[in-house]
């Protein structure tokens, strides 16, 4: 991992911190801890025992569970490790326990700091229904919605009055789970049943609500930092390139916003966080319509997958800031002195089969060549011979670039994607390049429906066997050691001299 902004020097905020996660984000947090001279503890499931974070952390402890994910979700087991090793604070990263108010509260009761907002704030903003009500009460815009129970006499009438299409969402949801778009009244009952079932399965909470669906809207989110008294924003991120409600490419700043609209949205995000007394790194997400209106969607009370594009444009280490705030220190940043420069793009590298409806792929990492460059950042926990299984999210790594202009950032990303080689598991690198080459993307003319709308143009053709062999040979020869070995290998007939059978 390179090109992460430098952290501020100063008094050590904690002596020892446990990283309650895995993969690229665990390494990202480890890097911040090392910069701050804080001792680190990594936890890992047996299947991850060879991962880089396990090798590089000061201490590493194996966790157990019915499955790898279950082990990482076992808060009590993690707290016992903290107590045994004298850990002062836990960084949850994203996913797993990062937005679990009960985990944060239990840590606090055990005298261990949760590196994130207070449990009450997680509870308030983590629930989609209560957070929308909170935001609306403070005078900020929320999209039209129906929050009534499905058997309420006004439920259907209110939805019909709101107008189709609508989107059914899980109140405790995220990542597209428990969400579906409904175009007519006939589809509604099935969509509600499926959404409630998924919500129960993934979040243990069957509550769903129905929101107006805007067909040509963009997904804009604003990064905030708060210390419980003061909040600053660090601009917005454009996250409209999504597939099945999952972000694929993110960038900062958004090509859709004017300076005036940017200021308006960022001030709104700041106001929402300020109203909640927010005290950590967080993200306020908005729906931005083609008419220029915007509505609050949700607030994520954790570090985001896409935080590097903000770090690249603002030159701020968000994880380090988050750690300082958790230690009770006041914000070191002032809105007046914060400024961004240039343009940054992030691509999510996922193990998935673009030729088979993007089904998650499995395999083993047989060859890895990372891109490099002054403004290229590769956040990854990958290593050779790593087994890629279906036990975790299919995201393998994140590739981030920064350049003076958006056009230059697109070109830099395409170059970096071409340099990145991962063999042994199917991935979406070619697909990402196809998106970046699409004229509508280049011109910034897209919304959250982009991938579905241009699906027939974006899905690459299956390479034939000869092309696959050429790609494999090129990848292997891109390594200097392999190239030198090939050049040093004598011709077969020359090697055996004049003898012929």
């Amino acid at each position: 991992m390179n090109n992460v902004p430098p952290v501020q020097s100063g008094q050590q905020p904690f002596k020892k911190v446990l990283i309650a996660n895995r993969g690229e984000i665990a390494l990202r947090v480890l890097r911040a801890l090392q910069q701050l001279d804080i001792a680190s503890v990594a936890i890992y499931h047996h299947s991850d025992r060879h991962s880089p974070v396990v090798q590089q952390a000061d201490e590493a402890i194996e966790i157990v569970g019915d499955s790898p994910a279950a082990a990482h979700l076992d808060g009590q087991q993690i707290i016992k490790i903290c107590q045994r090793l004298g850990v002062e604070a836990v960084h949850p990263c994203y996913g797993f326990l990062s937005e679990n108010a009960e985990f944060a509260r239990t840590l606090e009761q055990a005298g261990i700091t949760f590196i994130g907002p207070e449990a009450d704030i997680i509870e308030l903003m983590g629930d989609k229904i209560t957070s929308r009500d909170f935001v609306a009460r403070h005078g900020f815009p929320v999209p039209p919605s129906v929050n009534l129970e499905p058997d309420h006499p006004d439920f259907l009438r209110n939805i019909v009055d709101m107008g189709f299409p609508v989107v059914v969402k899980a109140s405790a949801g995220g990542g597209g789970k428990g969400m579906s778009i409904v175009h007519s009244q006939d589809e509604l009952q099935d969509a509600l049943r499926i959404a409630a079932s998924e919500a129960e399965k993934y979040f243990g909470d069957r509550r769903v609500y129905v929101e107006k669906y805007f067909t040509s809207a963009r997904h804009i989110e604003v990064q905030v930092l708060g210390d419980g008294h003061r909040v600053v924003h660090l601009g917005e991120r454009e996250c409209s390139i999504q597939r099945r409600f999952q972000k694929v490419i993110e960038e900062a700043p958004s090509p859709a916003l004017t300076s005036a609209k940017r200021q308006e949205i960022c001030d709104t995000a700041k106001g929402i966080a300020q109203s909640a007394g927010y005290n950590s790194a967080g993200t306020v997400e908005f729906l931005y319509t083609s008419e220029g209106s915007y509505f609050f969607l949700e607030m994520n009370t954790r570090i985001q997958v896409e935080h590097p594009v903000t770090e690249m444009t603002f030159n701020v280490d968000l994880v380090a800031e988050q750690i300082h705030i958790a230690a009770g220190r006041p914000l070191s940043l002032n809105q007046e002195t914060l400024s961004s420069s240039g343009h940054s793009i992030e691509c999510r590298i996922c193990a998935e089969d673009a030729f088979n409806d993007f089904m998650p792929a499995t395999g083993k990492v047989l060859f890895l060549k990372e891109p490099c460059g002054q403004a290229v950042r590769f956040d990854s926990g990958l290593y050779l011979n790593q087994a890629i299984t279906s036990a975790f999210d299919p995201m393998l790594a994140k590739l981030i670039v920064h350049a003076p202009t958006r056009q230059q950032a697109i070109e830099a990303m395409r170059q970096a994607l071409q340099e990145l080689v991962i063999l042994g598991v199917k991935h979406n690198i070619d697909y990402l390049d196809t998106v970046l080459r699409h004229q509508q993307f280049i011109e910034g003319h897209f919304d959250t429906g982009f991938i579905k709308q241009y699906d027939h143009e974006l899905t690459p053709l299956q390479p034939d066997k000869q092309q696959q062999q050429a790609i494999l040979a090129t990848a292997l020869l891109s390594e200097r050691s392999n190239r030198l070995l090939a050049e040093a290998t004598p011709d077969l007939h020359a090697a055996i001299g004049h003898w012929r059978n």
Side-chain angles (χ1 to χ4, degrees):
M1 188 182 298
N2 49 17
N3 289 317
V4 178
V7 301
Q8 297 175 331
S9 59
Q11 190 182 358
Q12 189 185 43
F14 297 104
K15 290 180 180 173
K16 186 185 282 190
V17 169
L18 181 144
I19 306 166
N21 218 298
R22 63 180 295 278
E24 65 87 18
I25 193 63
L27 263 185
R28 168 68 187 91
V29 171
L30 175 63
R31 190 249 177 217
L33 296 177
Q34 290 171 337
Q35 290 284 307
L36 293 167
D37 198 23
I38 298 173
S40 55
V41 178
I43 56 171
Y44 65 96
H45 183 266
H46 184 72
S47 59
D48 275 336
R49 63 193 182 281
H50 300 304
S51 65
V53 72
V54 173
Q55 309 302 319
Q56 296 175 27
D58 295 304
E59 295 175 79
I61 304 295
E62 183 174 345
I63 51 175
V64 295
D66 292 338
S67 67
H72 280 277
L73 287 167
D74 187 345
Q76 286 299 330
Q77 183 178 189
I78 293 169
I79 290 171
K80 286 177 184 172
I81 292 171
C82 291
Q83 291 170 327
R84 192 167 80 239
L85 300 182
V87 168
E88 290 182 329
V90 171
H91 197 304
C93 306
Y94 54 70
F96 294 134
L97 297 165
S98 62
E99 292 178 287
N100 187 317
E102 190 56 37
F103 178 62
R105 196 168 282 125
T106 309
L107 275 176
E108 185 183 354
Q109 290 165 355
I112 301 164
T113 301
F114 178 78
I115 300 180
E118 292 172 2
D120 290 347
I121 298 176
I122 298 173
E123 216 157 52
L124 170 69
M125 304 310 284
D127 186 285
K128 304 293 182 294
I129 294 176
T130 57
S131 64
R132 285 166 46 87
D133 291 345
F134 173 83
V135 167
R137 276 202 312 277
H138 284 80
F140 299 109
V142 297
S145 67
V146 176
N147 299 338
L148 302 172
E149 291 292 326
D151 56 357
H152 192 283
D154 293 333
F155 176 74
L156 192 56
R157 182 176 59 79
N158 286 2
I159 292 175
V160 172
D161 289 348
M162 192 165 66
F164 290 93
V166 297
V167 57
V168 179
K169 292 185 175 181
S171 183
K177 301 289 191 302
M179 287 178 66
S180 62
I181 299 169
V182 180
H183 294 88
S184 69
Q185 189 173 329
D186 295 340
E187 303 170 18
L188 189 59
Q189 288 305 324
D190 279 348
L192 286 168
R193 180 178 50 77
I194 293 169
S197 174
E198 281 194 5
E200 173 74 33
K201 176 182 175 185
Y202 291 109
F203 314 112
D205 183 344
R206 290 183 62 82
R207 289 178 304 145
V208 298
Y209 65 102
V210 180
E211 197 173 80
K212 177 68 181 168
Y213 181 72
F214 295 89
T215 51
S216 300
R218 302 174 81 115
H219 184 122
I220 305 288
E221 62 184 32
V222 178
Q223 177 70 56
V224 295
L225 285 169
D227 62 8
H229 304 284
R230 197 165 58 84
V231 174
V232 296
H233 74 76
L234 292 92
E236 86 286 359
R237 296 187 284 259
E238 166 76 63
C239 303
S240 299
I241 303 298
Q242 301 179 2
R243 184 169 50 72
R244 297 175 191 149
F245 305 114
Q246 289 273 22
K247 298 163 189 171
V248 177
I249 297 175
E250 302 99 344
E251 58 183 305
S254 166
L257 300 185
T258 62
S259 297
K261 188 60 73 175
R262 174 170 296 114
Q263 188 69 50
E264 193 181 337
I265 289 182
C266 289
D267 284 346
T268 300
K270 193 172 156 181
I272 292 170
Q274 189 82 52
S275 300
Y278 199 74
N279 63 326
S280 187
T283 301
V284 186
E285 300 194 342
F286 296 97
L287 194 68
Y288 182 66
T289 72
S290 54
E291 291 78 30
S293 300
Y294 62 92
F295 303 102
F296 169 81
L297 277 179
E298 63 179 356
M299 182 170 188
N300 290 315
T301 56
R302 53 175 164 76
I303 198 75
Q304 291 276 93
V305 173
E306 56 271 27
H307 76 274
V309 294
T310 298
E311 292 190 325
M312 296 287 264
T313 49
F314 276 82
N315 196 34
V316 170
D317 187 323
L318 292 170
V319 176
E321 292 294 330
Q322 197 182 18
I323 294 169
H324 278 295
I325 293 168
R329 297 180 180 175
L331 262 180
S332 62
L333 304 171
N334 292 305
Q335 197 67 68
E336 295 71 26
T337 54
L338 278 169
S339 63
S340 67
S341 67
H343 200 94
S344 181
I345 298 177
E346 173 181 290
C347 284
R348 298 190 186 197
I349 312 299
C350 296
E352 57 188 16
D353 187 355
F355 307 108
N356 185 22
D357 199 25
F358 296 94
M359 293 291 288
T362 58
K364 183 182 281 188
V365 179
L366 300 176
F367 185 86
L368 173 64
K369 178 174 176 288
E370 300 181 7
C372 57
Q374 189 176 5
V376 177
R377 174 172 160 180
F378 187 62
D379 284 16
S380 156
L382 289 176
Y383 57 96
L384 284 180
N385 294 319
Q386 177 183 1
I388 306 299
T389 70
S390 58
F392 298 108
D393 185 275
M395 193 179 79
L396 297 173
K398 304 180 313 201
L399 183 56
I400 310 104
V401 300
H402 181 257
T405 68
R406 185 171 186 269
Q407 182 57 42
Q408 290 170 320
I410 292 173
E411 291 168 5
M413 178 57 82
R414 290 201 58 207
Q415 176 67 33
L417 285 170
Q418 288 166 21
E419 292 177 8
L420 175 59
V421 182
I422 303 172
L423 299 180
V425 61
K426 291 179 178 176
H427 50 67
N428 63 341
I429 294 176
D430 288 342
Y431 182 79
L432 293 165
D433 183 64
T434 308
V435 173
L436 293 168
R437 284 190 283 114
H438 198 281
Q439 196 59 34
Q440 294 299 310
F441 179 83
I442 292 170
E443 294 175 2
H445 298 155
F446 54 82
D447 54 47
T448 54
F450 172 82
I451 284 184
K452 189 172 183 181
Q453 182 180 357
Y454 297 105
D455 179 56
H456 60 292
E457 299 175 34
L458 298 172
T459 304
L461 296 173
Q462 173 83 50
D464 58 30
K465 191 170 182 180
Q466 194 173 12
Q467 289 171 319
Q468 291 178 22
Q469 289 173 338
I471 292 168
L472 183 64
T474 303
L476 290 172
L477 290 174
S478 65
E479 279 289 288
R480 184 168 175 270
S481 58
N482 291 337
R483 199 164 56 247
L484 291 174
L485 180 63
E487 290 170 359
T489 302
D491 176 78
L492 177 62
H493 287 160
I496 61 177
H498 298 289
W499 182 83
R500 297 287 187 272
N501 186 7

